[in-house]
Amino acid sequence: MRKLFVLCMAAALCCTMAAGAMAEETVKIGYLAALTGDWAAYGQTEKNTAQLAVDEINAKGGIDGRKVELVVYDFRGRQEDAVNAVRRLLEEDKVSAIVGANASGINIATAALVNRAEVPQIGTVSTNPMVTVDRKGRVRPYSFRICFTDPYQGKLIAWFSAKELGKTKAAVLYDIASDYAQGLREFFIKSFKEYGGETVADEAFKGGQDVDFRAQLTKIREAGADVLVLPNMGKEMALIMKQARELGMDDLVFVGGDGYAEFMWEIAGKSMENSYWINHVSPSDPNMAKFFEDYKAKYNDECKEFVNGILGYDAMYWLFDAIDRADSTDPVKIAQALADTKDLQLHHATITMDEFHNPLNKDGIVLIAKDGKGQFFKKIKPE
Amino acid sequence: MATLIQQIINGLSLGSIYALIAVGYSLVYSILMFSNFAHGGFLIIGGYFCYFALNSAGFNIWIAGFGALVGAGFAAVATERLTYKPIRERTSVTLYLLIASMGMNIVIENIFVIVAGGRFRALPPVIPTTPVHLFGNATTSALDLISLVTAFVFLGGLQLFLTKTKWGLAIRAAACDLRVAGLMGVNTSKLISIVFFVAGLLAAVGGIFLSVRYTLYPQLGMITIKAFVAAVIGGLGSLPGAVVGSLILGLSEMLTAGFLSSQLRDLVVFSLLVVTLIVRPTGLFGKDVKEKV
């Protein structure tokens, strides 16, 4: 009996030592997700996809033999909770890097913390330029993003309209009450000119109030526009398309940004058909088919918030690659490796970092509205 | 020139919808001397009645439309009985009715948020929206022409009701003085119910056309603010005034957006309101208080 006890103790001791050795070798990655509150659906999806990526890398033996450990904290969609969560990740969990959040405002709020602690943070769907640069336009050394920025999306829309569709006379109908729409419009017009096109009509409306756009559409028709750019959100774009077709503007092509939503079909009906939408990702991108299958198999649910899901998943893979290249779990070295990323093939795109920590010349995904749903059309990369 | 004709057509079709709603405001104002801001609520009641009659019950547009008109009419009567009547019986200050109507508008809106959800619903294509070509270059949709015609049919019908029937006579008498009309043997309670029924019915007509054109959602009633402005410009309490004010407003909106800038649209509309109130506070047709209907 006594012998057995000693044996057990010895075994236990061995296990503890082994575990200790293991613990030293794990790579701790923090994840900032809104698991409750208004954005819970997005946050839950991101948490699931991040865990999916971690399980996959661990099944392959981890990064250089080191297992990855994911630490997820809920920020409830609020800046103050995000700041507390990040503080805890930095001070208590001592993570090597943080992925999330999925909103520009949250990333801007936590930027000061991670940059002081010198731990890299990757925003997933944080498109505002301020996420990675400070007020004076200097890059924040430890802030990164995987999505493209609002100005870049404007450029993508211009490139697609001018080069892919071969249109030279564009009209813009934008929401004057939205910073997002205004930014997209501004950068579209600038880039469209560079690609040899001309913006013949630049019209505005008030989002959330205006429902009648026929006056603006009549002007657009008079100006002879062959493509109508819609840098807005769902409802208004659907009404604009419907009213344009009712006015007999049958040849006008609609190109929009990532404001595309499935509910627009109910409003616009067949006026939606053959419109193009420049988005971050597509649910029917052939490269993502395996991801969606794996997600469904693991969580027994569709990955409905696919933009968040795919960007969260690939942000993890980007980080794995950076840790591998840095050959270290030191946050400073990982940040350097993230900044040096060049031609990295992820699942949804190939990324190269620019000096401001934004993916440079990232592939844009074009969705085409066809047969009652948004479908993958092609990947584009402007020259 | 083609652009001008196009913008005028756009303006008239928008104005005709405003007119249906503005007449409802004027009708209630002429009898009870307050602006019933729950009118936007009646409008969405009509829209949702029609939507569910078409989609859930599977009726055709004529039956669904008729049901929506009657349903919204009774909803308006019920609103009056439950909210305005108790207030009317306790005080003669019409300001309280105005405030209550603002509350009722929010109540109705939120009932639909809870019952039907906040999402956008499109009526099935029961009213054709195909483009119709006019005068060579100008284009309008079939819906615009139908709504213009419907607006005039209903407004004409209202005019006949007011001038040719006994209750119409009573309403016109009450518009001069509700109390005296009551003393002359008119059942004022019933009369007010009839007025609200008619107002609700007209709001539902506007609601159906608006939901076909702009889709249906609980906040659709917000558009009645413009119709109210039109009623004020035309002269609150005057039915021809409501129609003319609406057409002026629709035209000025479209012409401003078409020839100046779409950003100036609301600026012009509300400046027009302020100027009207300064120059002619009674509105274009509100010259004689005794001839409000």
Side-chain angles (χ1 to χ4, degrees):
Chain A
M1 197 64 201
R2 200 188 146 98
K3 234 179 189 175
L4 191 66
F5 179 74
V6 173
L7 209 66
C8 280
M9 283 298 287
L13 199 66
C14 282
C15 283
T16 321
M17 279 171 68
M22 286 280 285
E24 265 177 21
E25 284 182 14
T26 60
V27 183
K28 261 193 174 179
I29 297 174
Y31 205 106
L32 190 58
L35 302 176
T36 56
D38 284 352
W39 301 344
Y42 304 110
Q44 293 285 356
T45 301
E46 287 201 12
K47 178 194 162 208
N48 289 348
T49 55
Q51 191 60 53
L52 185 66
V54 167
D55 291 350
E56 283 171 6
I57 196 89
N58 285 342
K60 284 182 199 156
I63 307 168
D64 279 344
R66 281 167 297 194
K67 295 276 183 197
V68 178
E69 187 188 344
L70 193 68
V71 185
V72 186
Y73 286 132
D74 180 14
F75 72 92
R76 298 196 275 177
R78 306 193 325 186
Q79 289 190 348
E80 55 272 36
D81 287 286
V83 167
N84 286 338
V86 165
R87 193 167 280 151
R88 205 165 140 194
L89 285 169
L90 296 172
E91 287 164 10
E92 289 177 30
D93 300 301
K94 305 213 183 299
V95 295
S96 299
I98 298 170
V99 181
N102 60 349
S104 299
I106 302 294
N107 280 62
I108 292 169
T110 58
L113 276 174
V114 295
N115 282 286
R116 205 180 307 133
E118 302 188 327
V119 173
Q121 180 180 21
I122 303 175
T124 53
V125 201
S126 317
T127 54
N128 190 300
M130 290 287 289
V131 168
T132 59
V133 293
D134 63 15
R135 258 173 224 295
K136 289 180 183 150
R138 290 172 308 202
V139 65
R140 303 184 199 264
Y142 293 88
S143 297
F144 299 85
R145 85 177 91 223
I146 189 162
C147 52
F148 47 61
T149 58
D150 295 336
Y152 183 69
Q153 192 177 22
K155 186 178 165 183
L156 282 174
I157 297 173
W159 193 85
F160 181 75
S161 307
K163 300 291 176 180
E164 293 275 334
L165 297 176
K167 303 293 182 188
T168 51
K169 289 179 163 185
V172 186
L173 185 47
Y174 71 101
D175 179 358
I176 196 167
S178 151
D179 287 344
Y180 160 76
Q182 289 213 31
L184 225 52
R185 161 194 162 265
E186 185 190 331
F187 289 100
F188 165 78
I189 292 174
K190 190 166 150 267
S191 303
F192 194 62
K193 205 172 163 190
E194 285 164 16
Y195 291 127
E198 186 196 353
T199 304
V200 293
D202 181 20
E203 295 293 316
F205 65 88
K206 266 201 239 54
Q209 286 184 33
D210 291 357
V211 283
D212 198 293
F213 308 98
R214 285 172 300 169
Q216 292 98 316
L217 287 167
T218 302
K219 269 175 103 175
I220 287 167
R221 186 170 69 185
E222 286 311 303
D226 50 13
V227 58
L228 175 58
V229 173
L230 302 170
N232 314 303
M233 298 309 287
K235 180 188 132 205
E236 278 98 3
M237 294 194 294
L239 285 173
I240 289 167
M241 290 187 287
K242 183 170 173 244
Q243 289 171 19
R245 295 295 187 235
E246 281 171 14
L247 285 172
M249 299 158 84
D250 294 327
D251 298 329
L252 192 67
V253 178
F254 305 119
V255 182
D258 58 345
Y260 173 86
E262 292 290 337
F263 74 79
M264 286 160 60
W265 285 96
E266 178 148 4
I267 302 174
K270 61 182 191 312
S271 310
M272 279 284 286
E273 290 283 343
N274 294 316
S275 54
Y276 298 98
W277 305 89
I278 315 297
N279 213 328
H280 300 274
V281 295
S282 157
S284 53
D285 178 350
N287 290 351
M288 298 315 302
K290 188 176 175 302
F291 162 81
F292 283 106
E293 275 170 32
D294 292 347
Y295 187 96
K296 195 167 184 195
K298 188 170 163 73
Y299 299 107
N300 197 22
D301 191 16
E302 303 288 338
C303 181
K304 286 193 207 83
E305 285 72 27
F306 61 86
V307 176
N308 290 79
I310 292 172
L311 292 176
Y313 180 73
D314 263 354
M316 294 300 290
Y317 270 94
W318 178 22
L319 189 57
F320 297 156
D321 176 77
I323 296 168
D324 191 27
R325 276 185 287 119
D327 203 19
S328 163
T329 52
D330 177 22
V332 179
K333 286 184 181 156
I334 295 173
Q336 191 55 48
L338 285 171
D340 293 340
T341 304
K342 200 168 181 305
D343 294 326
L344 173 66
Q345 174 73 53
L346 293 172
H347 298 86
H348 79 287
T350 305
I351 62 165
T352 298
M353 278 294 112
D354 71 3
E355 56 182 315
F356 298 110
H357 294 181
N358 302 317
L360 182 74
N361 293 343
K362 192 179 171 184
D363 299 335
I365 305 285
V366 184
L367 295 179
I368 183 165
K370 222 176 172 61
D371 302 328
K373 61 175 194 281
Q375 302 186 16
F376 178 72
F377 182 65
K378 69 187 301 184
K379 281 188 184 181
I380 53 167
K381 197 186 219 38
E383 283 135 23
Chain B
M1 190 62 197
T3 318
L4 182 67
I5 293 171
Q6 178 74 62
Q7 298 291 19
I8 289 173
I9 293 171
N10 292 345
L12 288 177
S13 73
L14 186 65
S16 68
I17 296 279
Y18 286 163
L20 277 174
I21 305 166
V23 165
Y25 273 110
S26 276
L27 205 57
V28 172
Y29 184 87
S30 67
I31 307 290
L32 294 176
M33 302 300 287
F34 84 101
S35 300
N36 174 31
F37 283 109
H39 205 67
F42 302 163
L43 180 144
I44 54 174
I45 289 173
Y48 276 102
F49 263 121
C50 188
Y51 177 86
F52 287 112
L54 286 167
N55 279 11
S56 309
F59 292 126
N60 68 31
I61 177 64
W62 296 105
I63 299 175
F66 180 75
L69 264 50
V70 174
F74 279 117
V77 173
T79 309
E80 197 278 327
R81 284 283 164 89
L82 293 173
T83 342
Y84 305 150
K85 199 176 177 201
I87 298 173
R88 262 192 302 118
E89 283 167 351
R90 284 170 178 77
T91 169
S92 59
V93 184
T94 54
L95 180 67
Y96 295 128
L97 290 171
L98 180 97
I99 295 166
S101 75
M102 288 175 172
M104 276 314 287
N105 191 36
I106 296 167
V107 167
I108 296 172
E109 190 180 305
N110 280 286
I111 288 174
F112 280 99
V113 169
I114 294 161
V115 174
R119 74 184 184 92
F120 306 104
R121 289 166 193 274
L123 289 194
V126 283
I127 302 175
T129 53
T130 44
V132 176
H133 296 278
L134 297 169
F135 316 111
N137 284 331
T139 317
T140 181
S141 84
L143 171 74
D144 289 341
L145 296 177
I146 296 171
S147 69
L148 200 65
V149 171
T150 313
F152 279 104
V153 166
F154 273 91
L155 295 177
L158 177 65
Q159 199 60 34
L160 282 178
F161 171 71
L162 288 175
T163 51
K164 303 285 180 198
T165 65
K166 217 174 95 187
W167 276 110
L169 181 70
I171 290 172
R172 284 184 293 144
C176 289
D177 196 319
L178 184 65
R179 258 191 70 223
V180 175
L183 293 173
M184 296 294 126
V186 174
N187 181 347
T188 51
S189 180
K190 198 171 171 187
L191 180 121
I192 288 168
S193 290
I194 290 176
V195 165
F196 270 87
F197 185 83
V198 172
L201 185 140
L202 292 175
V205 177
I208 294 170
F209 278 99
L210 283 174
S211 5
V212 173
R213 181 182 281 172
Y214 305 132
T215 72
L216 188 58
Y217 50 98
Q219 291 79 26
L220 183 66
M222 262 177 38
I223 199 162
T224 53
I225 291 179
K226 292 267 181 71
F228 174 71
V229 171
V232 173
I233 290 173
L236 258 178
S238 157
L239 299 193
V243 175
V244 173
S246 298
L247 295 180
I248 290 174
L249 202 68
L251 280 174
S252 54
E253 262 195 64
M254 286 298 179
L255 295 178
T256 309
F259 293 101
L260 295 171
S261 158
S262 43
Q263 282 117 290
L264 293 178
R265 195 165 158 163
D266 284 359
L267 192 76
V268 168
V269 166
F270 289 97
S271 303
L272 212 60
L273 173 71
V274 173
V275 170
T276 308
L277 290 175
I278 293 169
V279 178
R280 200 182 164 88
T282 51
L284 293 174
F285 287 73
K287 51 182 184 286
D288 192 346
V289 190
K290 300 235 161 26
E291 282 179 9
K292 273 179 305 188
V293 168

